[in-house]
Structures are given as C-alpha cells and as structure tokens.
Amino acid sequence: MQQSKYVVWSVTLIFWGFLEALSPEGIPAPNYNCPEPNGRFSDPEQCDKYYICKKGEAEEILCPEGLLFDNSIPNREKCVLPHNVDCGAREFVQDRAPGSDPRCEKANGVFNHDDPRVCNKYLNCDKGVAFEMPCPDPLYFDVEIGGCVRQENLSEYAKRCSEENDYLEIDGFKCPGGDTIGPQGLLQQHPVYPHPNDCQFYFTCYFGKEPNKFGCSKGMVFDADNQQCKDPSEVPDCSCWYECKENSACPTNCNPDCTCPVA
C-alpha cells in the first residue's frame, strides 16, 4: 500500500472525552431574538459565544476558554478546538482568565512547547493545567493544525527547531536510560519516574530517552512505588506536600514527609 506523503497525528482524541464532559451553564438572554424557536445560534460578534433557544426563549452560553463555537454543520453546532473554525466576522473571544499555568495561552487547547528548542512536543492545556505531550517520532508539532506532522509538511506558522538542540532535560531531570522494571514486574517501554522535588508531578521517558512531564490533579501526589496518583495521606514521603498536619511539631513549615526542616 502506498504511504500518504502528508501524515498528520491529530490531537483531537485527547480532547474528545474532555469536550463531551463539559456542559457550560447559560444565563437568560431576553434581548436576543431567536432566529428559530429551537436550536443553537452563534453570537454575531464573539466567536466563543452562542445562544440556545428553547421554545423561543434564549440562553447565552460561553464556550470553555480556548474553544470556539463551530456552526458549520447544521444541528451539530458545538464548541471545538479552534484549528478548523471559520469565525468570519465573529472576531472577539473572551479574555484569558487568571489562575492558569502561564505556559497556557488559553485555559484549554494545544499549544507550542514553551522551550524554543523543542518542536517534537507540545502543551496540552486542560482547565488551566499544562501537560507536556510527545509527538510520535519523527513528527513535529504544527500549531496551525493542532497536530503532529512530518517535517516537510510543516506550515509556515509551525515552530522550527534544530535537531542538534533536542531538549533532554526538564526541571533538572534527565532520563537515566537503561532497562526499567515497572510495579507489575514487567519491562517498561516508556519508564515512569517521580519528579525530583515536586510530589505532584512525574516524568514518562519516551522510549527511555526523552522526558515528558505529567501531573496529578491538585490535591493529589504521585506514588513512585506503584506509579499512581493518590491522596497525600497514602504516600508517607509526600503526606505533607500541600500542608503540614494539625498535630505537626512544625505546623507552618515542614518537609514533604512531615519532618521539620533542619535549622
């Protein structure tokens, strides 16, 4: 079978469950005139705003920050990643909300890696939390399409990197290399390691070589023994990562394992 010269590894599936789970709340919009008694209709000026009409009564809805309202398919209008949305005259979007990871251009979406030397990884931002994701070798991330493509197919908007500047260190962590046996006693193709100084995060070494940083949900910590995210109370070395325990001898400043810092 002849191989296609234009290979795209789409990141859409990463967001599929995320998009389906979102159900934005609306507010009454009594001044909006519904074009039809029932349906979803785009705002004439703002590309991430739309209206739901039910029996002629309208509600105003904002897409989750970073997504746009796609009205290209009748009766299948929805909020999606912006890469294939034609906003036309709908030139405005909501402002970036505070509190998101500074590496995220918007709270949700896929973006260039923040290190200028890295082109074979990208940032997957989910509700303001940034996760580093690898492109399958030998593809590179193209922000124009929101996916990974071969180097010769990169668009004019894609970031360019030199192969001599492969980024093999994150937060001071480098993949140690060699064979790694996981908690189940099996050889890991992509070994997992705890972050050297942050209990919430961990690294997956892509084919044992390239580190990719991931994180547990806020309030959870990574258990290096079984490589799962758990409540801090279940991980002795990180039980005081977020706060010292009430009966701690050093309640305002303690180590992750609840011991007091050496004076």
Side-chain angles (χ1 to χ4, degrees), residues 173 180 183 188 190-194 202-205 222-224 227-228:
F173 174 84
T180 302
Q188 290 184 315
H190 310 299
V192 179
Y193 302 94
Y202 59 95
F203 294 96
T204 294
C205 288
F222 181 70
D223 184 353
Q227 299 182 355
Q228 295 179 359

Side-chain angles (χ1 to χ4, degrees), residues 239-259:
S239 56
C240 288
W241 175 249
Y242 292 101
E243 60 181 358
C244 299
K245 295 182 178 180
E246 292 183 0
N247 59 353
S248 172
C250 43
T252 59
N253 183 23
C254 58
N255 296 320
D257 62 356
C258 298
T259 59

Side-chain angles (χ1 to χ4, degrees), residues 14 46 50 199 262:
I14 296 173
Q46 188 165 332
Y50 64 99
C199 286
V262 178

Side-chain angles (χ1 to χ4, degrees), residues 1-9 139 149-150 152-153:
M1 177 169 38
Q2 184 177 6
Q3 185 178 20
S4 172
K5 68 176 182 179
Y6 189 77
V7 179
V8 178
W9 187 74
L139 308 186
V149 302
R150 295 189 182 278
E152 61 268 22
N153 299 128

Side-chain angles (χ1 to χ4, degrees), residues 142-144 153-160:
D142 189 336
V143 71
E144 171 71 3
N153 299 128
L154 291 172
S155 74
E156 60 179 310
Y157 300 101
K159 195 168 68 170
R160 261 69 175 181

Side-chain angles (χ1 to χ4, degrees), residues 11-23 67 126-127:
V11 298
T12 302
L13 290 179
I14 296 173
F15 273 81
W16 181 256
F18 162 72
L19 293 175
E20 291 296 315
L22 291 174
S23 55
L67 307 185
D126 181 355
K127 300 177 184 176

Side-chain angles (χ1 to χ4, degrees), residues 19 46-50 63-71 77-87 90-94 106 108:
L19 293 175
Q46 188 165 332
C47 199
D48 57 1
K49 181 194 293 187
Y50 64 99
C63 292
E65 180 195 326
L67 307 185
L68 301 178
F69 184 67
D70 182 10
N71 61 352
E77 305 91 347
K78 58 183 178 180
C79 295
V80 299
L81 293 172
H83 308 287
N84 294 313
V85 179
D86 181 7
C87 289
R90 300 178 293 148
E91 57 181 314
F92 300 105
V93 295
Q94 59 190 294
K106 294 287 185 179
N108 304 290

